[in-house]
């Protein structure tokens, strides 16, 4: 009986394997959610690379496949669908549009939003959530390492000044500005003034195929930032609080006084000079028997902390109804410095470096009609930076230039030591006894945007108009003081008393201030046309911009200081693609500045680019259905040809 059961089981297994390996012909129709047949859909067999077909002009397909194999249906811009082949040999499939994919991703460009599939230039998007994990108040620092082609260099670690200078694909201009053009909500603004929690998207435009519309200003690349806006629904409240401990990455180690004195002697002896310190003096220095005449001070440990705290807090609210939506945010950043202070003066004022910034933003969207949208934005920040009286640069210069054996911190009789004025001053005096500085900045940024859909005139026609008005004010208050300073000679008198040389008289605290300010006005009008006509997709953009910058504070008696610096330009773009297979794109910027002589004020900056999406060709779909994207594009800018290839494989 057991043998009979075993034989039956083996027979059924063989029959099952035979049925599973039986090759059958599967036919069917592929359509979208509107029941429209889809042409060129890839139909492939899972785990069988190179085995597949594409749908014909009627959306139908025919393929031979083994039973119990899985068919994969895929098309650009649609979600993939898998179907297991069983007994039903007619498989009809409906494909849904992809929610988000690399090919269908919508990115922000200089002329609005555009699908990545249709791009013919180099454009990168930034993962804002990844940037938020970077413990810094500067967005430029967070960009470094997160965007291909962006190089960044930080030249200072001082709170409030620890921002990176960055370049997109290297330095493109010489003799002028090398920084990229930064547009926040389509208006030129400082990237470091923005609260990172307010950012919705960041797009980096890298080559002239997409930056030509900005003319000469886009020569070093363009960064487009859009801020968050409210969405219809219940109020959403987000609170975020962070505490970060920062340490110095690299700080040079200093030799102690005994080693320094021996090296000083060695340097003089090798140059046939007499040594500075005799053996008995070196012993006094080593044992610390006379710190007034033979000091040994570790200035780095005396003046610098191991690290400092940074605090970040953010609160934002968003919501709204069908006709009006809002986004409101406020944030606070406090970056502590790493200087030690004089505890005796701590109650009076702070000589440590410190940076604090308060940001606010209000974005309101109002649907005036079904086709008319009004956006009103108000943002700004108030910042305060603190530093020692002579400044951070002076502090570090003295710290690195003052040897451990020059003077003690204080003489035993309470006199303040120094070997001279300026950078010859005692580092402890520079750090704690010269007063303090406060630098206040205040920025207010406003913009009004009107968007009008003209589909009732012709489908695909839209208009956008922007008016912006920004003000900037800065006030630097310097409060200085100076103690009386002395220098001890390397000898004592007959009574054993120190012989002093007077270096400087004391100076009671005094103050003076510097102020500057300006205002900027922006005007931007753009018509955009975007339409599909059968297999043809055409688009066009016409844009006019004008901005003016005028100085408002500290004008002096020179009348030209009150005259605005103006720029204006006309830009355009024409695009065409056929079946998302062949792309042609022409951009130009015609920009002018009043800085140039009459007749030489304007320049024309064109760029022509094209692309071939090889993966949309029938022979690729039929023979290599695993190739999801193979796109080659080229650009012609001022007789320079640029070529790039984008390849996306699916296995």
């Amino acid at each position: 009986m057991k043998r009979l059961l075993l034989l039956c089981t083996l027979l059924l297994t063989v029959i099952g394997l035979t049925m599973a390996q039986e090759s059958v012909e599967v036919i069917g129709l592929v359509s979208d959610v509107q029941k429209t047949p889809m042409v060129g859909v890839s139909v492939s067999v899972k785990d069988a690379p190179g085995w597949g077909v594409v749908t014909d002009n009627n959306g139908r397909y025919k393929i031979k496949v083994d039973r119990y194999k899985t068919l994969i249906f895929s098309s650009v811009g649609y979600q993939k669908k898998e179907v297991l082949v069983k007994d039903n040999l007619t498989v009809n499939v409906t494909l849904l549009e992809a929610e988000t994919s690399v090919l269908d991703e919508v990115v922000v460009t200089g002329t609005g939003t555009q699908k990545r599939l249709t791009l013919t230039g180099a454009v990168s998007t930034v993962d804002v959530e990844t940037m938020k994990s970077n413990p810094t108040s500067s967005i430029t620092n967070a960009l470094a390492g997160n965007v291909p082609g962006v190089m960044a260099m930080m030249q200072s670690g001082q709170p409030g000044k620890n921002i990176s200078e960055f370049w997109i694909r290297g330095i493109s201009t010489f003799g002028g500005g090398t920084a990229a053009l930064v547009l926040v909500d389509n208006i030129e603004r400082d990237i470091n003034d923005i609260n990172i929690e307010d950012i919705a998207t960041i797009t980096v435009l890298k080559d002239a195929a997409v930056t030509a519309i900005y003319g000469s200003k886009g020569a070093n690349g363009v960064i487009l930032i859009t801020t968050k806006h409210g969405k219809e629904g219940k109020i959403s409240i987000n609170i975020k609080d962070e505490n970060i401990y920062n340490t110095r990455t690299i700080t040079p180690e200093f030799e102690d006084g005994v080693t320094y004195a021996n090296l000083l002697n060695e340097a003089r002896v090798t140059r046939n000079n007499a040594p500075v310190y005799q053996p008995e003096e070196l012993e006094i220095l080593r044992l610390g028997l006379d710190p007034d005449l033979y000091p040994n001070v570790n200035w780095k440990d005396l003046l610098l902390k191991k690290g400092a705290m940074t605090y970040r807090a953010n609160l934002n609210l968003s919501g709204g109804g069908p006709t009006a939506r809002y986004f409101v945010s406020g944030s606070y950043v406090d970056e502590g410095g790493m200087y030690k202070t004089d505890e005796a003066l701590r109650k009076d004022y702070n000589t440590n470096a410190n940076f604090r910034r308060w940001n606010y933003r209000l974005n309101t969207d109002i649907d005036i009609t079904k086709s008319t949208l009004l956006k009103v934005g108000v943002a700004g920040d108030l910042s305060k930076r603190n530093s020692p009286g002579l400044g951070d640069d002076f502090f570090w210069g003295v710290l690195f230039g003052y040897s451990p054996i020059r003077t003690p911190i204080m003489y035993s009789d309470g006199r303040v030591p120094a070997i001279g004025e300026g950078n010859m001053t005692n580092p402890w005096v520079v750090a704690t006894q010269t007063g303090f500085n406060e630098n206040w900045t205040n920025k207010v940024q406003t913009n009004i945007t009107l968007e009008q859909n003209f589909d009732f005139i012709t489908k695909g026609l839209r208009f956008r108009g922007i008016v912006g008005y920004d003000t900037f004010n800065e006030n630097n208050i310097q409060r200085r003081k100076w103690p009386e300073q002395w220098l001890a000679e390397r000898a004592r008198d007959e009574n054993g008393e120190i012989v002093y040389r007077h270096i400087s008289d004391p100076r009671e605290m005094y103050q003076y201030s510097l102020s500057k300010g300006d205002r900027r006005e922006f005007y931007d009008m753009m018509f955009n046309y975007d339409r599909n006509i059968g297999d043809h997709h055409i688009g066009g953009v016409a844009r006019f911009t004008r901005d003016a910058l005028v100085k408002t504070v500290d004008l002096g008696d020179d009348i030209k200081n009150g005259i605005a610096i103006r720029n204006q330009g006309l830009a355009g773009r024409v695009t065409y693609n056929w079946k998302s297979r062949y792309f042609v794109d022409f951009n130009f910027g015609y920009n002018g500045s009043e800085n140039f002589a009459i007749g030489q004020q304007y320049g024309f900056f064109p760029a022509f680019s094209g692309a071939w999406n090889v993966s949309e060709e029938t022979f690729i779909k039929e023979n290599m259905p695993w190739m999801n994207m193979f796109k080659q594009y080229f650009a012609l800018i001022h007789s320079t040809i640029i070529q790039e290839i984008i390849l996306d494989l699916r296995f």
Side-chain angles (χ1 to χ4, degrees), residues 468-532:
Y469 186 88
D470 296 356
T471 61
F472 166 76
N473 289 282
E474 180 177 356
N475 188 25
N476 182 267
I477 306 172
Q478 300 182 1
R479 298 180 175 90
R480 300 284 179 84
K481 60 177 290 189
W482 201 269
E484 186 176 16
Q485 296 185 100
W486 304 82
L487 175 63
E489 304 291 351
R490 284 185 57 199
R492 295 178 182 269
D493 60 18
E494 61 275 9
N495 298 319
E497 298 296 330
I498 300 174
V499 178
Y500 288 105
R501 176 160 55 92
H502 189 261
I503 298 298
S504 65
D505 293 322
R507 176 72 184 270
E508 294 299 325
M509 183 173 286
Y510 64 99
Q511 77 172 29
Y512 62 93
S513 63
L514 302 171
S515 300
K516 60 181 180 180
D518 58 56
R519 70 171 183 267
R520 303 191 70 176
E521 301 171 2
F522 306 89
Y523 305 94
D524 185 324
M525 293 185 294
M526 183 175 71
F527 284 93
N528 192 306
Y529 182 72
D530 192 15
R531 188 169 182 179
N532 288 322

Side-chain angles (χ1 to χ4, degrees), residues 30 38 41-44 46 70-83 93-101 103 625-628 648-651:
V30 180
M38 296 181 61
V41 176
S42 173
V43 185
S44 58
K46 191 173 184 178
T70 300
L71 292 179
I72 301 176
F73 299 83
S74 62
S75 182
V76 174
Y78 290 83
Q79 299 179 22
K80 287 192 302 183
K81 190 165 186 177
E82 297 184 0
V83 178
V93 173
T94 300
L95 294 185
L96 303 177
E97 291 188 2
E99 295 179 358
T100 302
S101 68
L103 305 181
W626 40 266
M627 183 178 293
N628 197 34
D648 182 17
L649 305 180
R650 179 186 66 252
F651 295 101

Side-chain angles (χ1 to χ4, degrees), residues 74-377:
S74 62
S75 182
V76 174
Y78 290 83
Q79 299 179 22
K80 287 192 302 183
K81 190 165 186 177
E82 297 184 0
V83 178
L84 180 64
V85 176
K86 297 180 180 178
D87 297 329
N88 188 5
L89 302 184
T90 299
V91 178
N92 297 324
V93 173
T94 300
L95 294 185
L96 303 177
E97 291 188 2
E99 295 179 358
T100 302
S101 68
V102 175
L103 305 181
D104 201 40
E105 179 186 352
V106 175
V107 298
V108 179
T109 64
T111 56
T113 57
Q114 186 176 353
K115 287 186 178 181
R116 183 176 293 278
L117 173 66
T118 64
L119 290 173
T120 59
V123 177
S124 292
T125 55
V126 182
D127 187 347
V128 179
E129 293 302 320
T130 300
M131 291 180 58
K132 290 180 182 179
S133 63
N134 196 310
T136 177
S137 61
S138 169
I139 297 177
T140 54
N141 296 343
L143 279 175
N146 285 322
V147 185
V150 174
M151 298 178 292
M153 179 177 65
M154 184 191 296
Q155 297 183 339
S156 173
Q158 303 165 15
K161 293 185 178 181
N162 54 347
I163 58 178
S164 295
E165 185 177 2
F166 65 96
W167 303 273
I168 299 175
R169 290 187 171 179
I171 297 176
S172 303
T173 58
F174 295 90
T178 60
L181 174 65
V182 178
L183 299 178
V184 181
D185 290 333
N186 299 295
I187 295 178
E188 184 177 352
R189 283 165 177 161
D190 189 346
I191 189 173
N192 292 297
D193 295 335
I194 311 170
N195 172 23
I196 194 170
E197 298 291 338
D198 293 348
I199 297 177
T201 64
I202 301 179
T203 305
V204 181
L205 312 182
K206 300 179 181 179
D207 62 19
V210 283
T211 64
I213 63 170
Y214 299 105
S216 58
K217 286 189 175 183
N220 299 297
V222 180
I223 293 182
L224 304 177
I225 297 176
T226 59
T227 58
K228 293 179 179 178
H229 287 252
K231 297 181 180 179
E232 181 180 347
K234 294 182 179 180
I235 184 172
S236 174
I237 302 175
N238 293 286
I239 301 175
K240 187 176 183 180
D241 181 72
E242 296 175 291
N243 298 316
I244 304 160
Y245 184 73
N246 300 310
T247 60
R248 298 184 302 277
T249 54
I250 300 176
T251 304
E253 294 295 331
F254 296 92
E255 295 291 352
D256 63 88
V258 177
T259 303
Y260 187 92
N262 280 287
L263 291 174
L264 177 61
N265 280 348
E266 181 181 339
R268 290 184 59 83
V269 170
T270 56
R271 290 163 176 77
N272 298 319
N273 295 318
V276 177
Y277 291 93
Q278 300 303 317
E280 58 273 16
E281 291 179 305
L282 291 174
E283 190 65 12
I284 293 174
L285 178 63
R286 185 182 69 83
L287 296 175
L289 299 178
D290 191 351
D292 285 330
L293 301 185
Y294 299 95
N296 184 2
V297 182
N298 187 330
W299 296 107
K300 188 188 77 168
D301 288 348
L302 176 71
L303 300 179
L304 297 179
K305 300 178 181 179
K306 298 295 183 181
M309 294 297 297
T310 294
Y311 305 96
R312 296 195 304 193
N314 183 82
L315 169 66
N316 65 63
L317 304 88
S318 63
T323 58
R325 295 154 301 280
Y326 61 88
F327 173 83
V328 184
S329 76
S331 67
Y332 170 69
V333 175
D334 185 348
E335 290 186 354
M338 299 187 187
Y339 305 157
K340 293 182 180 178
T341 59
D342 187 348
E343 292 297 326
L345 299 174
R346 191 169 184 178
K347 293 182 179 179
D348 298 326
Y349 54 85
N350 183 20
T351 58
N352 193 5
N354 177 266
F355 175 73
R356 296 175 180 175
R357 189 180 71 199
W358 298 262
N359 284 78
Y360 60 89
R361 182 175 299 275
L362 169 62
N363 287 336
T364 305
D365 301 349
I366 303 172
D367 293 318
I368 299 176
T369 68
K370 291 183 178 180
S371 61
T372 307
L373 175 63
L374 178 66
K375 298 180 179 179
V376 179

Side-chain angles (χ1 to χ4, degrees), residues 369-445:
T369 68
K370 291 183 178 180
S371 61
T372 307
L373 175 63
L374 178 66
K375 298 180 179 179
V376 179
V378 178
D381 66 89
L382 174 66
S383 66
K384 174 191 175 185
R385 187 180 183 277
N386 201 80
S387 61
L390 296 182
D392 298 285
D393 295 339
F394 204 97
F395 169 88
W396 287 97
V398 173
L399 176 62
F400 279 85
Y402 210 86
S403 74
I405 58 176
R406 274 188 170 178
T407 65
I409 305 169
M410 292 282 289
Y411 289 118
S412 56
D413 60 2
R415 301 194 191 200
V416 178
I419 62 172
E421 297 181 355
N423 60 358
M424 309 300 286
T425 303
N426 180 342
W428 178 77
V429 172
V430 173
T432 65
Q433 304 300 308
T434 58
F436 66 105
N437 303 316
E438 290 182 340
N439 190 79
W440 291 87
T441 62
N442 181 24
K443 298 180 182 179
V444 179
Q445 302 169 342

